[in-house]
């Protein structure tokens, strides 16, 4: 966590990607990503749900263990899923504690910057559990927010957001995600906070950036929000590979002699 504070003070951007399984975790580690987030976006991009709400703590732990096996030396944050921390500090402690204990991850992330969320953060930090905050668009509140919309567009909302980010810092968060926040506001918040901000749809002045890996690698071509930049075209590559395999099998081109074992019989 000290490294991330130092990166902020040096003005060095922090590069974060989400990850949910071992092979991509290995790639992220080999490329030197600064931090892995096992996001509850797992619900949508791996498990096929409409929102993050249905994913369970057990599913988060299962996928985090796979990520840790692929990237054992990379700082890993895990999203606490919906209803694993909202009810009480005791729930939050038990579930965040399990997350660190059973996966070897380093920190948890929770959404919200109002007093109840700050209280959860204080309880976790008191127990020695590093916490990343998350304000702006909070996907676990998608039903209350009426969809994935930019937050903090008018001055009242902007002040609430700014106050929430500061309150999370005061509660002990080591970093805070700003999701779908106007760039100017995100820049101001980033300069006001001592801890690093990690933006997604929040402009270039955040201290770091995070993207959902399958979106960033073009595995999910039907999802194209304005903030997303695609760094690969994996869906196209996968379609092509599958098509070639089907053709080869149907035409008896695969397996060839080089893929075939000899023997005496
Ligand atoms: O679950 C997730 O992937 C996230 C990122 C969008 C920050 O929380």
């Amino acid at each position: 966590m000290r490294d991330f504070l130092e990166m902020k003070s040096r003005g060095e951007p922090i590069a974060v990607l989400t990850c949910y399984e071992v092979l991509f975790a290995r790639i992220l580690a080999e490329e030197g990503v600064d931090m892995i987030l096992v996001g509850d976006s797992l619900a949508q991009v791996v498990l096929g749900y409409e929102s993050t709400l249905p994913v369970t703590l057990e599913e988060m732990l299962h996928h985090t263990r796979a990520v840790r096996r692929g990237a054992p030396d990379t700082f890993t944050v895990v999203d606490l899923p919906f209803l694993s921390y909202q009810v009480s500090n005791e729930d939050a402690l038990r579930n965040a504690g399990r997350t660190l204990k059973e996966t070897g991850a380093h920190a948890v992330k929770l959404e919200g910057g109002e007093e109840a969320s700050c209280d959860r953060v204080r309880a976790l930090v008191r127990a020695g559990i590093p916490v990343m905050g998350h304000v702006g668009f909070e996907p676990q509140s998608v039903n209350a927010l009426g969809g994935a919309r930019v937050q903090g567009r008018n001055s009242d909302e902007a002040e609430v957001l700014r106050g929430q980010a500061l309150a999370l810092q005061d509660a002990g968060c080591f970093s805070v995600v700003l999701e779908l926040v106007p760039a100017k506001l995100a820049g101001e918040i980033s300069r006001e906070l001592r801890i690093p901000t990690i933006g997604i749809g929040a402009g270039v002045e955040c201290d770091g950036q995070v993207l959902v890996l399958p979106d960033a690698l073009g595995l999910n071509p039907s999802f194209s929000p304005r903030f997303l930049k695609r760094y690969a075209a994996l869906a196209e590559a996968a379609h092509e590979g599958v098509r070639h395999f089907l053709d080869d099998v149907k035409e008896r081109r695969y397996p060839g002699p080089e893929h075939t074992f000899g023997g005496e019989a």
Side-chain angles (χ1 to χ4, degrees):
M1 289 189 299
R2 241 195 338 261
D3 290 348
F4 300 123
L5 282 172
E6 284 170 9
M7 288 172 83
K8 173 164 177 135
S9 61
R10 285 199 299 274
E12 180 184 340
I14 301 167
V16 185
L17 283 165
T18 71
C19 193
Y20 319 93
E21 48 88 47
V22 65
L23 296 179
F24 278 119
R26 207 172 281 158
I27 291 171
L28 300 195
E30 285 168 2
E31 291 301 326
V33 71
D34 295 310
M35 188 191 302
I36 287 176
L37 170 65
V38 184
D40 58 355
S41 48
L42 168 70
Q44 293 134 305
V45 297
V46 176
L47 302 178
Y49 292 117
E50 285 290 314
S51 76
T52 60
L53 274 68
V55 74
T56 65
L57 182 68
E58 297 307 326
E59 288 165 332
M60 293 298 297
L61 299 183
H62 178 72
H63 284 266
T64 303
R65 283 191 285 266
V67 167
R68 295 288 302 143
R69 286 191 281 268
D73 300 323
T74 304
F75 189 93
T76 300
V77 182
V78 184
D79 262 333
L80 289 178
F82 181 60
L83 269 201
S84 69
Y85 62 94
Q86 281 90 346
V87 175
S88 67
N89 285 358
E90 288 70 20
D91 270 5
L93 265 170
R94 192 168 301 110
N95 292 326
R98 275 194 68 195
T99 302
L100 266 53
K101 214 173 154 79
E102 296 179 24
T103 69
H106 304 93
V108 297
K109 174 162 83 58
L110 55 77
E111 294 180 11
E114 74 301 333
E115 181 44 32
S117 298
C118 292
D119 203 37
R120 303 289 178 271
V121 173
R122 281 188 289 272
L124 296 181
V125 170
R126 263 198 309 273
I129 300 174
V131 186
M132 177 181 251
H134 182 150
V135 293
F137 173 62
E138 298 165 17
Q140 293 177 12
S141 301
V142 63
N143 292 320
L145 295 172
R149 302 168 191 285
V150 176
Q151 305 293 308
R153 273 201 147 131
N154 65 49
S155 56
D156 287 350
E157 275 183 22
E159 282 322 298
V160 169
L161 233 153
R162 192 190 305 275
Q164 290 183 342
L166 280 163
L168 286 167
Q169 170 176 277
D170 291 346
C173 282
F174 73 94
S175 173
V176 59
V177 167
L178 302 178
E179 179 164 358
L180 297 185
V181 174
K184 181 166 174 289
L185 175 63
E188 288 167 7
I189 293 175
S190 301
R191 283 186 291 279
E192 273 175 54
L193 293 191
R194 186 178 33 80
I195 58 173
T197 59
I198 307 294
I200 175 163
V204 75
E205 291 188 281
C206 293
D207 301 302
Q209 299 292 329
V210 58
L211 282 177
V212 170
L213 188 65
D215 300 341
L217 296 184
L219 255 180
N220 191 12
S222 61
F223 183 66
S224 30
R226 180 183 169 85
F227 67 80
L228 177 62
K229 179 169 176 183
R230 291 211 178 88
Y231 290 87
L234 290 198
E236 277 172 34
H239 274 289
E240 201 181 314
V242 170
R243 251 188 335 259
H244 285 155
F245 171 74
L246 298 183
D247 290 348
D248 274 4
V249 170
K250 300 292 179 187
E251 298 298 325
R252 294 195 185 280
R253 284 190 299 259
Y254 177 82
E258 70 276 32
H259 309 116
T260 303
F261 302 103
E264 298 203 344

